[in-house]
Amino acid sequence: MNPLPEHPDFLWRNPEPRSSYDVIIIGAGGHGLATAYYLASKHGITNVAVLEKGWLAGGNMARNTTIIRSNYLWDESAAIYEHALKLWEGLPEELGYDFLFSQRGVLNLAHTLQDVREGVRRVNANRLNGVDAEWVEPSEIAEICPIINLSPKTRYPVLGGTFQPRAGIAKHDHVAWALARRADELGVDLIQNCEVTGFVKDGNRVVGVETNRGRILAGRVGLAAAGHSSVLAEKAGFRLPVQSHPLQALVSELNEQVHPTVVMSNHVHVYVSQAHKGELVMGAGVDSYNGYGQRGSFHVIEHQMAAAVELFPIFARAHVLRTWGGIVDVTPDASPIIGTTPVENLFVNCGWGTGGFKATPSAGWAFAHTIATGEPHPLNAPFSLDRFTTGALIDEHGAAAVAH
Amino acid sequence: MLLISCPWCGPRDETEFRYGGQAHVAYPETPAELDDQQWAEYVFYRENPKGPFAERWMHAIGCRRWFNVLRDTVSYEVLAVYRNGEEVPR
């Protein structure tokens, strides 16, 4: 018998928490790791800890469908998601880690006259914002993705679609590991199994956190806790206008490569891509009810499978391998909140709802800027918490190329 | 799938119902006197607890009546079902 192979190199240290840091980030998901990476690499702030109650990138970072695109309708959204896409294009080289970023394009199908009008409008808005987008007719869709059922006799025939060629997918766990490795090299402490149970405050100023591994002091604290953001905000003494919902997805067993792009359908409501290994990755909308259980109701899975088989008859004999759920924090306008909070020196990045993975680099980039300087960058200034008071909402419900 | 007992029709599948979010959110008594922050609280801010949550459901393909459910948002267990106007069961 051959001896066991050597253990591969560890990608990051597993340090004990120190008694204080310049900055503490709560949540070692994609956004928290990207924030720590940019704090260290761009702002020279390396005395940073990222606290994670479970294991690194084990929340929504391990539960998404890895779709990356920037074809959002409104100027503010297009700016921040396109910034993310540009960062994605450079990150594999910058981080020295091939996380299989594949710009295979994203196709958003239109099935009704309203879908067509919305799609054409969004393509025009995207182009004005420098986002690559085109309107494609069914004959062109047949060339981009031959396995879609383009028959006019289906219940909701495909009338056309929008296509963003630079969009695509990436291998989510490798993205997290790439960011974690480089942040660690730059001096950031990534501390797993460290749950924040409270905040240490001096008047209205946060000066540290209580954890299951003791009190840790900090100059500034950033929340990047996705579905648990409002639970943490309550401990810190302020409220967030978010609701936490289960969001489910599933994969099939491995199949031959048959699906060359990413297809999203708002109307019959499913999105499908095929991972590098060959599993079909599918998702759809959130479960209607609030939930922190990391699971949802099976009829939601049934509904998205029905939509997938309607669109892709070739999938009818594929088998589901696994389904799972994450907890997504949804805001009233389906746009994120990145900025200051009513508590001094406490900052928040939350409310990404169903679309946080694609924004990982720019969420971290903008949040790092906000924490380092105390002020939002122009990219995230519109995504402030006070927009719910001023009324300056960025309403991406139904405008963002997919129903949230 | 949740099994929800409509107070009028009895236990039915979740697919028969529509969700209405947090229960017991009253319209402001003096709307003309609210400032922007208070309006924001009423319009956009809702409780989002991890644990028991009093929420509204409507029996959409049954009696079409709204009612309240106390449900645990972690286990998803329905702890109590009660009619509009009744207090949250303890």
Side-chain angles (χ1 to χ4, degrees):
Chain A
M1 222 176 105
N2 292 327
L4 288 172
E6 292 283 307
H7 191 286
D9 288 341
F10 287 98
L11 294 180
W12 54 85
R13 299 163 292 130
N14 233 344
E16 284 299 310
R18 281 181 276 163
S19 59
S20 81
Y21 291 91
D22 291 343
V23 176
I24 283 177
I25 306 294
I26 303 174
H31 288 203
L33 294 169
T35 305
Y37 166 67
Y38 285 115
L39 275 173
S41 68
K42 192 164 183 297
H43 301 279
I45 301 173
T46 57
N47 184 22
V48 175
V50 185
L51 308 184
E52 169 55 53
K53 71 172 177 177
W55 61 90
L56 191 140
N60 292 348
M61 193 62 173
R63 295 159 195 274
N64 63 84
T65 49
T66 81
I67 298 170
I68 294 166
R69 61 187 178 91
S70 63
N71 56 346
Y72 280 66
L73 178 67
W74 300 114
D75 294 350
E76 299 87 348
S77 313
I80 199 161
Y81 289 107
E82 176 61 19
H83 184 67
L85 183 48
K86 289 201 171 84
L87 291 171
W88 280 117
E89 288 171 333
L91 271 178
E93 190 180 332
E94 185 179 329
L95 298 173
Y97 199 121
D98 177 15
F99 50 71
L100 302 177
F101 178 46
S102 164
Q103 292 177 287
R104 56 182 63 191
V106 167
L107 193 54
N108 291 93
L109 300 178
H111 301 270
T112 67
L113 185 56
Q114 180 58 33
D115 277 357
V116 172
R117 288 172 176 158
E118 183 275 326
V120 172
R121 178 192 181 200
R122 186 162 42 74
V123 164
N124 290 332
N126 287 165
R127 288 186 171 180
L128 289 171
N129 279 320
V131 174
D132 59 320
E134 52 194 276
W135 176 258
V136 286
E137 297 292 334
S139 58
E140 297 165 282
I141 290 174
E143 287 170 26
I144 296 167
C145 188
I147 59 173
I148 295 180
N149 183 5
L150 293 167
S151 163
K153 292 181 178 171
T154 57
R155 175 72 181 84
Y156 298 107
V158 175
L159 303 179
T162 69
F163 190 57
Q164 183 181 21
R166 286 165 58 243
I169 55 174
K171 193 116 177 62
H172 51 95
D173 42 8
H174 288 245
V175 171
W177 301 338
L179 288 165
R181 180 179 71 164
R182 189 50 57 87
D184 176 85
E185 283 171 3
L186 292 167
V188 172
D189 280 0
L190 307 175
I191 301 167
Q192 304 178 80
N193 301 310
C194 183
E195 180 170 6
V196 171
T197 53
F199 292 83
V200 188
K201 284 164 79 173
D202 178 6
N204 188 42
R205 190 160 53 93
V206 72
V207 294
V209 295
E210 302 285 359
T211 78
N212 59 347
R213 291 166 72 173
R215 174 177 288 196
I216 309 174
L217 299 179
R220 291 180 175 179
V221 176
L223 298 184
H228 280 80
S229 296
S230 45
V231 174
L232 283 164
E234 192 182 342
K235 291 184 199 294
F238 71 102
R239 297 179 81 197
L240 287 168
V242 299
Q243 297 282 286
S244 297
H245 288 270
L247 176 63
Q248 300 186 76
L250 64 99
V251 288
S252 74
E253 60 196 357
L254 305 188
N255 290 291
E256 269 180 57
Q257 291 290 338
V258 291
H259 185 15
T261 182
V262 181
V263 171
M264 309 180 71
S265 167
N266 190 349
H267 195 73
V268 304
H269 214 175
V270 70
Y271 36 89
V272 187
S273 65
Q274 189 168 17
H276 296 80
K277 277 189 300 183
E279 61 268 53
L280 298 163
V281 186
M282 300 182 201
V286 297
D287 278 62
S288 67
Y289 49 76
N290 289 25
Y292 286 87
Q294 291 191 318
R295 60 196 168 80
S297 294
F298 193 73
H299 67 89
V300 175
I301 294 285
E302 192 179 9
H303 189 76
Q304 58 179 272
M305 299 272 284
V309 173
E310 166 91 354
L311 275 178
F312 300 93
I314 191 177
F315 295 170
R317 302 286 291 275
H319 295 148
V320 172
L321 183 68
R322 212 153 45 83
T323 78
W324 65 87
I327 315 167
V328 299
D329 46 330
V330 179
T331 61
D333 61 356
S335 286
I337 300 166
I338 323 157
T340 57
T341 72
V343 180
E344 209 180 319
N345 288 351
L346 180 62
F347 303 86
V348 68
N349 168 63
C350 74
W352 288 92
T354 63
F357 176 73
K358 70 174 81 68
T360 299
S362 64
W365 195 93
F367 199 35
H369 177 98
T370 307
I371 293 169
T373 64
E375 297 289 332
H377 186 274
L379 262 188
N380 63 308
F383 297 96
S384 66
L385 182 55
D386 71 2
R387 74 177 185 272
F388 299 98
T389 307
T390 64
L393 303 184
I394 304 162
D395 189 5
E396 289 289 354
H397 269 296
V402 65
H404 284 269
Chain B
M1 185 181 308
L2 305 180
L3 184 65
I4 299 169
S5 284
C6 171
W8 290 277
C9 310
R12 303 290 183 93
D13 283 348
E14 176 194 341
T15 45
E16 295 196 9
F17 299 88
R18 282 191 73 88
Y19 188 59
Q22 186 186 343
H24 309 292
V25 180
Y27 189 76
E29 284 185 15
T30 52
E33 292 166 21
L34 262 52
D35 62 20
D36 287 353
Q37 181 59 43
Q38 289 166 318
W39 271 119
E41 291 279 333
Y42 171 66
V43 176
F44 295 124
Y45 283 76
R46 293 292 179 269
E47 297 301 316
N48 187 26
K50 186 176 183 179
F53 184 42
E55 59 192 15
R56 305 171 75 218
W57 288 84
M58 192 264 280
H59 195 183
I61 56 173
C63 64
R64 297 198 60 77
R65 280 190 275 199
W66 286 95
F67 58 97
N68 297 327
V69 172
L70 187 68
R71 187 180 58 90
D72 188 299
T73 61
V74 181
S75 68
Y76 300 167
E77 185 188 353
V78 174
L79 304 171
V81 174
Y82 58 106
R83 298 185 185 193
N84 287 348
E86 294 176 1
E87 294 285 310
V88 186
R90 297 288 161 195

